[in-house]
Amino acid sequence: MPKSYSIFSILRHALRPSEPWPEAWAKPAPKSNYDVIIIGGGGHGLATAYYLAKNHGITNVAVLEKSYIGSGNVGRNTTIIRSNYMLGANTAFFEKSLQLWEGLSHDLDFNCMVSHRGQIVVAVSPGQMDSFARRGNLMRLNGIDAELLDRKELEKELPYLDYSKHARFPIWGGIHQRRAGTVRHDAVAWGYARAASALGVHIIEDCEVTGMVMDGNKVTGVETNRGRILAGKVGIAVAGHSSHVARMAGLRLPVESHILQAFVTEPVKPMVHHVVSWGAELFYLSQSDKGGMVFGGHIDGFNTYTQRGQFFKIRDVMECAVSLMPFMSRLRLLRHWGGIMDMTPDGSPFICKTPVDGLYLNGGWCYQGFKATPASGLTFAHTIANDAPHDLNAAFALDRLMKGRELDEHGIGNWTYKQ
Amino acid sequence: MTSFRRLSQGGRIDRGRPLNFTFNGGKRQGFAGDTLASALLAANDIVVGRSFKYHRPRGVMGAGLEEPNALFTTGKGGTEEPNAIGPALELRDGLAARSQNAWPSPRFDLMAVNSLASPLFASGFYYKTFIGPFQKSWMFYEPFIRRAAGLGKTSYAADDVRHETRNAFCDVLVVGAGPAGLAAALAAARSGVSVVLAEQDFELGGQLLSGADAALEAWRAETVAALQAAENVRLLPRAVVQGIYDGNHAIISVGGTALESLRARSIIYAAGAVERPLVFENNDRPGVMLASALRSLANRFALVPSQRAVLLTNNDSAYEAAFDLAAHGVAVTVADLRREISGALMSRAAGQGIVVFPESGIAEVIAKPDVRAVKLSGRHAVTIECDVLGMSGGWSPLVHLTAHGGIKPRYDEAIAAFVPGAFASGHFAAGACNGVFGSRAAIASGDAAARAALGHLGRAKLPAAATLPEGEDLAYAITPVWNATQGSKGKAFVDFQNDVTAKDVAQAHDEGYSNIEHLKRYTTLGMGTDQGKTSNINALAIMAGLRGVGIGDVGTTTFRPPFTPLTVGAIAGRSVGHHFRPTRRSPLHDWHQKNGATFIEAGLWKRAWYYDWAGKTPQEAYVKEMELVRHNVGLSDVSTLGKIDVQGRDAGEFLNRVYVNGFAKLPVGKARYGVMLNDDGLVLDDGTTSRISETQYYLTTTTAQAGEVMSWLEFLAQCHWPELDVHLASLTDEWGGMSLAGPKAREALALALPGVDLSNEGLPYMGVKDITFEGVPVRLLRLSFSGELGYEIHCPANYTEALWEHLLKAAAPLGIKPYGLESLASLRIEKGHVAGLELDHRNSLDDLGLGKMASATKPFVGDVLRQREDMMAPERWSLVGLELLEAGKTLRGGSILFAANDEIKGHGRGYITSVTWSVELQRFIALGLYQGGLKHEGEEIICAFPLKNEQVKARIVSPMFIDSKGTRLHA
Amino acid sequence: MRIPCPHCGERDVNEFRYGGDATKQRPAHGDKDFQTWNAYVFEFDNPKGPHEEFWQHTLGCRQWFRLKRNTATNQILGGGQ
């Protein structure tokens, strides 16, 4: 792929305004047949197509997106990347993802604004300090950076938290991963799309899959609102709607669709220099490069496909914000929105073959899909190309629940609506 | 040069009530009834801030919440708020406002150098630059870019404002008190239903306040008076309806510090419309304003341009501004982009001395930095010196709230605007919000909407249609000109706040970001604090033109709450800080507090952690308290345990099903330790359950899982096993409990409860006895998690403190003292009892060494899926005890376990769950999970804690560190 | 969202606890079939549209009940029973 984006190309275009910029990604009409179809033009689908082309030489690929690329959760999340996972396969997988993030802007020739500003999770009890210690120790033992902070050290990093005696949940310390951070989320979709397109992948927007073309237990293509498109292999990467698409092939998944809300305030000058998470309740916040505080909490708690949340949960999250960071009270909420999550019984994803021949699944991301995007694309591409999983995603198989191999990272238990 | 003059009379300001305020430190004066923006303009503060990206000088553009430019920081320290909207901020005495994004001042801003490099800052600038030269180069550039971004500033100081929240219900919510809203509220009120009328302004009337029609003003005054007098109407001025959520749930911010959650049976949207700017070169110069803002300044705030105004329009409404300005002696020129202009307008304009140039645009705005003159384009290429340039690109209905429920707006060609796409049941719209322009038409439409709403509410008798004020509305005709650029020098802004120009839109189109959502995200169009209220429609119309499709086909971006930015504090209300979540206190809380306890959070509970009799630090105190229990007797508060009364003919069968072990045959008067699984076969919870009678059991749960277990049991009983006669009641809050433990526990209890048979025959180990003590029911359970002779004593919460004090007093000669949670938890580690840290939803019965409890003869919840392949694997991590082998070192919770010869990396073979100093063994001991478990008993292993670069040696031992034969329990 | 409790009437959703798909038939107590339990515990229809589900009025009468709701719109289709 030619490296075309730089300050020089911008200067050239500034001096010669009559020369228009080329399209970031081509917009071809669908062909009747591809080697591989990826359903879903989000971060995971586009990354998969890119790695199919780049790592496996499979370029006769179409990404079918029912709306515009990046219209799903890649453009609705709170942009956090981190690799502070402790259970089995999660550790290596999410660390691989973080390593891919580190080189992504270079790899894609597209500035995804990968900011390694660090993430700190604030602990509110000695028991939580112990569980953070377990996590941090496991990270260190797997070559991942982690530091345990006592209260004093934390106060130096995050002076604006409520350390007063009035705090409902007193602060004990925290765990710091310096390589964690944020990424400009939309840029991930666009960067992967542009790079995949340059390698020959067809990115087809406004193309909704309405059914599977089956030959016995084998999928041979898809029906779409733009006609039937045949393919040797079909990958599903539509987290949020995985059940909906998998049902077209007769599959029932260990997935329920839930809404997760996200919030942004008006932009202000830099105040928060890390990603900050809280141990009292699920709450996480960072300040975007534009200046807005971007933050979120837990899912609303019941299944829905509406991308709009309930007010009680909005208030819950605002209460978290003000209680952890009292200054947040004066900032103005600019906008809030929702994304649909594939919630699984153990809180972990699926990147795997399915019981249907030629059909592959990438889903069940709960609310951790964004940070996983590069590794998810890498391993899903591998799984599709080789009809067998990569070492990194072998544990993310559909039958792991049936086999008692749950990956319940947070020890929440078998409730999709609590994971 | 842009300047304004205050009229000596007229307007809605109170000249008798001057208000002092400051702007960038300078003293200013306005009047009651002014907004910050009108008062600043009256003081001829024309340049009030700088734009986000290019730091271009900016002035006030609009007359309300839609304002993109005139944003201010107000207050200081704990009241400092960034981004206050000038034209929507009611002036108050002592207000201190500061410009944003400008240093040292809005007129001389050093960052304006950005403007010089502006050709570079086109769409997607950041995505194409700062990539190299190294992988993490962005980390070098980011701090500079962050510092340049951001609008206002605030401090880390906590908030001084006290926010209130409230809940309310009504029959009809009317959003907006313009002509349509007032008419709707009046009609609804007259039928007797309960009405809430919410208006964002501090005065009721909407557009009527900015008009000059005497008949309409009379109607307004009369209607407001009637509504004020009506008992079934709540008028909410300064109230912004911020969002409509599922279930007709409206969130209304009232006065900035209160938030109302209103459930309305019916909603009438009468939010009005905002005027659109026109897109032409240098349309952002200070002094270029919306025509409607000029009209509002003149009629409402008695403020007109000093001498001359030029108006640029593509529709008829700008003529209302022209007429009203001319009436106050302002020389007015209208440049109309259209060829066809109605004769009536032309002749009325001529009558007022207004010069109208049809088919004219703006070739050049001459500004320094505020407007000095404009040069027209087209057939009348004249240069006109002027104070202001008013622009009108037509009107956009405020459809936001109608779309919050997921209904997309629809494009109406006739008025060149988006109108509500459809309505949920019980929702209606009226007036400009629904595309009905003109005040009298709005009144009629509001009145009709109210009657429709009353019909929806099932009112049989509907009021007759309202009589309209006399006179006629000015007709509204528009010929949209979305891109009025003339190809001359300068930027033509579409989004003023985020500095997005028509060229940026074109470039985004070239690059394929032509979906309206891509356009928004790529250029940041519509992502400012105004959320594109003035810019979105212009942008998507320009994009539609570039794509060659209809505006309706391009569609809008999604409308999301809040309607206008709302402080996080206002939404959070009072449940913050100390009140963030309810605090659960044991019935003994006050006693603990008075008697030297230090508390610790356990979920929502505050529990006594340790007592000062034992030491000043937890490390010191818990060891003393352990010694007390091991050698003497102690009393601890266990009121937080979940306590469930299980009654019914089938209570035994019910418990038999939910516990892995049997309970149906438990004799009356006996207790048994039980474990329950989830359906997936993993351990859910443990606890002791005793049989009180043939049909009554008393079940206890862990503190952490009490709520979950209660819900789960109710679920099974109510939804799945309705055939069982079983009834459940939580006693967690109704009953308190205490644990009496130590070799002298029986002696202590005997002193407190003389006459009760506490012998091994009278109350054997795992025996239960209900007694009455001084008229109070007391439940004695002989059980122990510490391993010592022990009793749990439960009684109604009201009496718990009295009983506790009685026990301490009666047993004082023995040296009894209270002990806290830390020692309670440590004692159970010595005895090898699992607790919350081990019961983490990831472990099977066998993992916890409890496999033998599972009944082989009866089915129980989870019995099938506990046999899943990996859960039966021989090498699972299971419970072990650990003894530290290195004197002078410590064991730490969260250590990772390795066999002696393992390389110290990867996930290890297990981890430490709980650690304590053992007073019995005089060394650190721990519980942990280890691969293969007690098969490795006696082996020396390594506990790694790389976070502190520590490794210590420990030995795997039985988790039951003390009294493995149970002689103490049975003593 | 407002949820109709069969005992207490319509209340805000935050008074309730969601309990999952109510069309799944819980296997009879003592049913030993592994596949039946596996499907009951780990598989979901998860439809986008009408859905029957369990709710409990946890901050009220504590009654569990079935509710029909459209997951595509959150519209309540049938009251609690």
Side-chain angles (χ1 to χ4, degrees):
Chain A
M1 186 177 57
K3 301 273 179 192
S4 61
Y5 283 170
S6 70
I7 190 70
F8 304 108
S9 66
I10 287 179
L11 276 169
R12 199 174 62 242
H13 281 279
L15 296 172
R16 273 183 281 169
S18 57
E19 181 187 319
W21 283 94
E23 276 187 338
W25 63 92
K27 308 206 170 197
K31 297 194 297 182
S32 59
N33 204 329
Y34 290 91
D35 292 341
V36 178
I37 283 175
I38 303 295
I39 307 173
H44 293 248
L46 293 164
T48 304
Y50 170 67
Y51 292 113
L52 274 171
K54 184 187 171 218
N55 293 356
H56 305 281
I58 303 172
T59 57
N60 185 22
V61 174
V63 177
L64 307 184
E65 167 53 51
K66 74 171 173 184
S67 178
Y68 58 96
I69 61 164
S71 54
N73 293 330
V74 72
R76 291 169 190 273
N77 59 80
T78 47
T79 79
I80 298 167
I81 58 168
R82 56 181 171 87
S83 64
N84 52 350
Y85 285 75
M86 67 176 193
L87 284 193
N90 285 343
T91 316
F93 178 86
F94 285 99
E95 173 59 14
K96 177 68 181 181
S97 211
L98 190 54
Q99 288 168 8
L100 289 169
W101 283 120
E102 285 169 338
L104 196 68
S105 297
H106 261 258
D107 192 16
L108 301 181
D109 181 35
F110 201 96
N111 188 358
C112 300
M113 305 180 203
V114 181
S115 168
H116 301 279
R117 57 183 67 179
Q119 184 213 20
I120 295 177
V121 191
V122 177
V124 297
S125 70
Q128 209 159 46
M129 285 298 281
D130 278 0
S131 74
F132 287 4
R134 179 189 175 198
R135 184 172 296 273
N137 282 329
L138 280 164
M139 290 164 68
R140 288 276 192 99
L141 290 168
N142 286 279
I144 304 167
D145 71 301
E147 292 157 55
L148 206 56
L149 308 177
D150 64 22
R151 188 180 150 112
K152 265 203 186 125
E153 293 164 327
L154 185 70
E155 205 161 347
K156 254 185 237 157
E157 293 278 352
L158 311 176
Y160 45 79
L161 305 185
D162 184 359
Y163 297 95
S164 76
K165 63 183 194 318
H166 302 295
R168 175 65 183 82
F169 296 105
I171 290 171
W172 287 78
I175 185 170
H176 192 179
Q177 186 185 19
R178 291 185 190 270
R179 287 164 58 242
T182 60
V183 176
R184 172 77 186 102
H185 58 5
D186 291 321
V188 177
W190 303 334
Y192 272 120
R194 176 168 170 267
S197 177
L199 294 172
V201 169
H202 279 191
I203 292 161
I204 301 165
E205 298 175 88
D206 299 310
C207 182
E208 181 169 9
V209 171
T210 54
M212 298 278 175
V213 184
M214 306 281 290
D215 179 4
N217 189 46
K218 180 169 169 44
V219 63
T220 58
V222 296
E223 303 286 357
T224 78
N225 60 340
R226 295 172 70 170
R228 172 177 288 201
I229 309 175
L230 298 178
K233 296 175 176 181
V234 175
I236 301 174
V238 297
H241 284 70
S242 295
S243 303
H244 188 67
V245 175
R247 191 178 302 113
M248 295 174 191
L251 295 177
R252 281 172 99 219
L253 301 180
V255 165
E256 248 193 341
S257 296
H258 287 250
I259 181 175
L260 181 69
Q261 303 197 56
F263 308 87
V264 65
T265 67
E266 292 180 340
V268 288
K269 292 292 175 192
M271 301 182 78
V272 174
H273 310 296
H274 305 76
V275 177
V276 182
S277 306
W278 199 17
E281 287 187 19
L282 195 60
F283 173 77
Y284 36 91
L285 178 146
S286 68
Q287 186 172 15
S288 76
D289 286 335
K290 193 160 178 272
M293 304 293 170
V294 180
F295 58 110
H298 207 258
I299 53 177
D300 280 14
F302 60 90
N303 58 335
T304 182
Y305 286 89
T306 65
Q307 287 174 326
R308 56 178 191 273
Q310 301 297 314
F311 183 73
F312 78 89
K313 182 50 72 178
I314 297 167
R315 177 168 276 162
D316 263 4
V317 177
M318 300 306 131
E319 288 167 356
C320 287
V322 177
S323 298
L324 182 63
M325 307 174 177
F327 78 84
M328 276 293 291
S329 185
R330 292 193 305 283
L331 298 196
R332 289 199 180 82
L333 181 71
L334 179 59
R335 190 174 172 88
H336 68 79
W337 62 95
I340 307 303
M341 309 291 122
D342 273 8
M343 297 303 296
T344 65
D346 64 351
S348 287
F350 302 107
I351 306 177
C352 56
K353 298 169 66 174
T354 71
V356 175
D357 293 338
L359 185 67
Y360 303 83
L361 173 68
N362 178 330
W365 283 104
C366 300
Y367 35 80
Q368 56 189 341
F370 179 68
K371 65 187 69 64
T373 306
S376 168
L378 184 86
T379 57
F380 196 40
H382 180 103
T383 306
I384 294 170
N386 298 296
D387 195 36
H390 191 282
D391 282 350
L392 287 169
N393 67 311
F396 300 148
L398 258 180
D399 63 1
R400 73 164 180 275
L401 299 164
M402 190 177 81
K403 293 195 167 159
R405 291 177 196 150
E406 279 101 331
L407 282 164
D408 188 352
E409 184 75 25
H410 298 285
I412 286 163
N414 172 33
W415 294 277
T416 55
Y417 48 89
K418 289 170 70 184
Q419 268 293 346
Chain B
M1 191 173 111
T2 303
S3 72
F4 286 86
R5 57 186 162 91
R6 213 47 177 292
L7 302 171
S8 57
Q9 55 184 12
R12 312 187 74 85
I13 50 168
D14 183 349
R15 290 175 180 78
R17 285 177 57 207
L19 301 174
N20 295 306
F21 68 105
T22 64
F23 175 57
N24 290 333
K27 287 182 181 167
R28 301 283 188 280
Q29 195 174 67
F31 298 110
D34 261 327
T35 63
L36 174 60
S38 67
L40 285 174
L41 289 173
N44 281 311
D45 288 308
I46 304 302
V47 183
V48 296
R50 290 271 167 167
S51 71
F52 193 79
K53 193 157 70 172
Y54 301 132
H55 285 252
R56 308 237 313 182
R58 290 285 167 80
V60 177
M61 187 179 99
L65 286 171
E66 73 281 4
E67 171 66 38
N69 292 338
L71 304 180
F72 303 88
T73 296
T74 64
K76 262 192 189 161
T79 58
E80 185 175 48
E81 279 190 27
N83 305 333
I85 303 169
L89 186 65
E90 184 178 0
L91 192 67
R92 58 179 188 266
D93 209 43
L95 180 72
R98 298 194 303 286
S99 292
Q100 301 187 151
N101 225 29
W103 189 84
S105 81
R107 273 197 182 259
F108 307 99
D109 171 36
L110 289 178
M111 285 295 282
V113 292
N114 272 10
S115 230
L116 299 176
S118 64
L120 302 181
F121 289 150
S123 302
F125 169 69
Y126 293 104
Y127 302 116
K128 296 169 186 157
T129 50
F130 306 120
I131 299 171
F134 310 112
Q135 270 209 351
K136 291 189 177 178
S137 292
W138 179 248
M139 293 306 294
F140 171 76
Y141 304 116
E142 188 183 40
F144 300 100
I145 287 156
R146 287 190 68 194
R147 246 171 274 161
L151 275 173
K153 263 191 217 166
T154 189
S155 70
Y156 288 144
D159 197 351
D160 289 347
V161 181
R162 186 176 150 126
H163 296 281
E164 304 288 345
T165 59
R166 63 192 189 210
N167 287 289
F169 297 82
C170 74
D171 292 321
V172 179
L173 165 64
V174 180
V175 183
L182 287 173
L186 187 67
R190 287 197 168 142
S191 82
V193 300
S194 64
V195 177
V196 172
L197 174 59
E199 165 57 47
Q200 53 88 15
D201 204 331
F202 50 92
E203 278 202 74
L204 304 181
Q207 277 300 311
L208 298 179
L209 300 172
S210 298
D213 182 319
L216 286 173
E217 172 54 22
W219 178 86
R220 187 198 72 85
E222 196 179 297
T223 306
V224 169
L227 290 170
Q228 278 166 341
E231 283 181 358
N232 55 335
V233 177
R234 268 201 307 138
L235 293 179
L236 297 178
R238 301 179 181 84
V240 182
V241 180
Q242 297 283 13
I244 303 291
Y245 296 85
D246 288 334
N248 279 8
H249 183 181
I251 296 300
I252 309 174
S253 58
V254 186
T257 59
L259 200 75
E260 177 164 318
S261 270
L262 178 69
R263 285 88 182 166
R265 293 175 64 201
S266 159
I267 301 176
I268 297 172
Y269 301 104
V274 291
E275 195 170 24
R276 297 189 287 256
L278 284 160
V279 179
F280 56 94
E281 289 84 353
N282 292 323
N283 58 348
D284 68 322
R285 292 304 184 196
V288 182
M289 298 174 71
L290 293 173
S292 59
L294 292 173
R295 182 171 184 236
S296 177
L297 287 172
N299 292 328
R300 180 170 176 183
F301 300 101
L303 197 63
V304 296
S306 294
Q307 289 171 7
R308 179 176 286 277
V310 175
L311 300 178
L312 175 70
T313 186
N314 65 357
N315 70 85
D316 292 350
S317 77
Y319 287 83
E320 293 192 296
F323 299 149
D324 292 353
L325 290 178
H328 291 297
V330 179
V332 179
T333 306
V334 178
D336 199 319
L337 290 154
R338 300 172 294 177
R339 181 175 300 165
E340 306 292 333
I341 304 166
S342 87
L345 280 184
M346 291 298 274
S347 60
R348 189 169 160 197
Q352 286 193 252
I354 297 166
V355 182
V356 178
F357 294 119
E359 285 185 89
S360 283
I362 300 293
E364 194 181 347
V365 177
I366 298 149
K368 235 198 240 184
D370 49 321
V371 172
R372 307 289 158 117
V374 295
K375 193 171 155 191
L376 301 192
S377 67
R379 287 191 287 138
H380 316 277
V382 292
T383 301
I384 306 166
E385 279 188 26
C386 59
D387 296 296
V388 296
L389 171 59
M391 56 184 168
S392 177
W395 292 78
S396 298
L398 287 167
V399 298
H400 301 58
L401 297 173
T402 70
H404 284 177
I407 295 170
K408 294 230 176 260
R410 167 180 68 80
Y411 189 69
D412 182 344
E413 294 280 354
I415 56 168
F418 281 89
V419 294
F423 297 101
S425 168
H427 293 210
F428 308 89
C433 179
N434 206 18
V436 179
F437 296 133
S439 298
R440 289 167 185 83
I443 290 169
S445 119
D447 187 66
R451 278 177 285 123
L454 293 168
H456 171 79
L457 295 175
R459 305 295 280 199
K461 264 177 83 178
L462 300 182
T467 330
L468 300 182
E470 61 188 44
E472 267 181 45
D473 293 336
L474 195 70
Y476 180 72
I478 179 168
T479 307
V481 178
W482 300 108
N483 190 339
T485 54
Q486 305 291 328
S488 54
K489 272 178 76 175
K491 293 183 181 307
F493 286 90
V494 181
D495 183 324
F496 291 72
Q497 190 179 101
N498 277 353
D499 280 346
V500 181
T501 64
K503 264 190 196 147
D504 290 327
V505 176
Q507 190 196 323
H509 175 258
D510 288 341
E511 294 194 66
Y513 298 92
S514 48
N515 184 290
I516 189 70
E517 289 282 355
H518 281 154
L519 172 66
K520 165 188 155 183
R521 290 150 183 265
Y522 194 58
T523 63
T524 73
L525 184 137
M527 292 172 80
T529 62
D530 58 346
Q531 289 284 286
K533 289 186 181 69
T534 54
S535 62
N536 280 349
I537 311 269
N538 283 339
L540 65 90
I542 292 172
M543 182 57 85
L546 292 165
R547 283 169 57 182
V549 299
I551 292 170
D553 298 330
V554 171
T556 63
T557 53
T558 310
F559 291 95
R560 298 279 191 184
F563 175 71
T564 188
L566 171 64
T567 63
V568 170
I571 304 173
R574 301 280 299 283
S575 295
V576 295
H578 183 64
H579 299 287
F580 168 57
R581 291 292 176 257
T583 301
R584 297 184 76 180
R585 294 189 177 90
S586 130
L588 295 166
H589 186 89
D590 292 351
W591 190 93
H592 298 321
Q593 202 153 33
K594 278 182 270 179
N595 289 274
T598 297
F599 290 93
I600 191 161
E601 273 65 31
L604 294 180
W605 291 97
K606 291 239 187 236
R607 295 191 67 174
W609 191 18
Y610 62 92
Y611 295 89
D612 61 3
W613 72 260
K616 293 291 169 212
T617 65
Q619 293 79 8
E620 192 189 341
Y622 88 85
V623 175
K624 281 262 186 64
E625 292 178 8
M626 284 176 82
E627 284 167 352
L628 171 82
V629 175
R630 290 277 174 245
H631 303 137
N632 194 345
V633 61
L635 190 63
S636 185
D637 182 0
V638 295
S639 301
T640 62
L641 291 177
K643 298 176 281 288
I644 302 171
D645 190 48
V646 185
Q647 294 198 40
R649 277 195 314 279
D650 298 318
E653 168 62 17
F654 178 76
L655 294 176
N656 242 12
R657 292 185 182 190
V658 298
Y659 278 121
V660 303
N661 46 336
F663 276 83
K665 291 178 189 156
L666 181 69
V668 171
K670 282 296 228 179
R672 185 170 284 168
Y673 174 69
V675 178
M676 53 180 82
L677 307 183
N678 209 331
D679 275 336
D680 61 5
L682 294 167
V683 174
L684 173 62
D685 197 39
D686 71 348
T688 306
T689 288
S690 42
R691 190 162 203 170
I692 307 304
S693 76
E694 278 304 311
T695 58
Q696 185 183 11
Y697 290 78
Y698 183 61
L699 183 154
T700 65
T701 75
T702 60
T703 298
Q705 293 294 320
E708 195 57 57
V709 169
M710 183 68 191
S711 246
W712 171 237
L713 298 182
E714 287 167 329
F715 180 61
L716 291 171
Q718 294 176 21
C719 298
H720 294 300
W721 304 331
E723 71 280 8
L724 296 186
D725 178 42
V726 60
H727 305 272
L728 302 158
S730 169
L731 299 179
T732 304
D733 292 318
E734 284 73 10
W735 278 54
M738 58 201 84
S739 168
L740 180 73
K744 295 184 185 166
R746 181 183 288 120
E747 225 176 308
L749 196 57
L751 287 170
L753 305 174
V756 178
D757 179 4
L758 298 173
S759 69
N760 266 333
E761 294 71 42
L763 187 58
Y765 178 60
M766 295 310 265
V768 178
K769 183 180 270 195
D770 278 2
I771 62 165
T772 303
F773 177 69
E774 297 194 354
V776 177
V778 175
R779 182 160 291 161
L780 300 175
L781 304 99
R782 182 169 164 197
L783 49 89
S784 165
F785 286 89
S786 62
E788 298 300 328
L789 171 64
Y791 301 88
E792 275 189 20
I793 304 147
H794 294 208
C795 74
N798 290 354
Y799 297 100
T800 309
E801 187 176 343
L803 186 61
W804 168 278
E805 283 191 316
H806 172 70
L807 266 161
L808 287 176
K809 200 170 159 195
L814 301 176
I816 191 170
K817 288 195 164 36
Y819 66 102
L821 181 62
E822 188 67 24
S823 49
L824 187 81
S826 297
L827 291 160
R828 69 98 193 168
I829 297 173
E830 279 191 313
K831 183 63 183 172
H833 266 296
V834 294
L837 293 163
E838 289 82 28
L839 302 174
D840 69 354
H841 295 293
R842 289 189 278 244
N843 295 317
S844 70
L845 275 179
D846 288 317
D847 297 346
L848 301 176
L850 304 170
K852 283 183 193 149
M853 289 177 63
S855 168
T857 56
K858 54 125 197 174
F860 54 87
V861 169
D863 60 352
V864 174
L865 293 187
R866 84 186 188 99
Q867 296 169 37
R868 287 180 289 157
E869 192 177 307
D870 261 36
M871 290 176 66
M872 307 295 280
E875 287 297 299
R876 278 177 73 89
W877 294 6
S878 61
L879 188 74
V880 294
L882 295 169
E883 279 181 7
L884 179 62
L885 295 175
E886 296 180 72
K889 297 193 174 174
T890 54
L891 282 176
R892 294 183 192 278
S895 297
I896 309 303
L897 306 179
F898 291 88
N901 299 321
D902 284 345
E903 194 187 344
I904 308 298
K905 65 181 275 195
H907 286 80
R909 293 170 187 263
Y911 70 104
I912 291 180
T913 55
S914 321
V915 177
T916 184
W917 173 259
S918 169
V919 295
E920 190 96 357
L921 304 174
Q922 287 295 303
R923 67 180 62 162
F924 278 102
I925 59 166
L927 296 179
L929 296 168
Y930 190 76
Q931 191 178 62
L934 287 174
K935 275 193 283 184
H936 301 278
E937 192 169 350
E939 286 178 19
E940 222 178 276
I941 62 162
I942 295 167
C943 312
F945 201 97
L947 287 167
K948 292 188 188 293
N949 294 315
E950 282 181 10
Q951 285 180 24
V952 296
K953 288 186 184 136
R955 189 193 314 284
I956 295 179
V957 296
S958 157
M960 203 179 281
F961 293 91
I962 60 156
D963 192 30
S964 56
K965 299 218 167 75
T967 27
R968 298 188 200 176
L969 293 176
H970 294 93
Chain C
M1 193 163 75
R2 309 268 288 165
I3 303 274
C5 169
H7 275 193
C8 309
E10 197 180 83
R11 295 288 188 278
D12 274 16
V13 60
N14 57 328
E15 291 186 15
F16 298 82
R17 173 207 171 120
Y18 173 70
D21 186 344
T23 60
K24 293 206 273 189
Q25 178 62 44
R26 185 180 176 85
H29 189 68
D31 186 331
K32 293 284 174 202
D33 187 70
F34 182 86
Q35 284 307 335
T36 308
W37 277 102
N38 183 63
Y40 171 67
V41 174
F42 293 125
E43 290 175 10
F44 301 83
D45 278 337
N46 192 24
K48 185 174 186 174
H51 187 244
E52 189 173 336
E53 57 208 18
F54 286 117
W55 289 84
Q56 184 187 22
H57 196 187
T58 41
L59 299 184
C61 63
R62 296 199 66 87
Q63 178 74 42
W64 279 96
F65 56 92
R66 288 160 187 272
L67 183 76
K68 287 200 181 97
R69 181 176 59 94
N70 186 333
T71 62
T73 62
N74 285 345
Q75 195 191 354
I76 308 296
L77 304 173
Q81 45 175 302

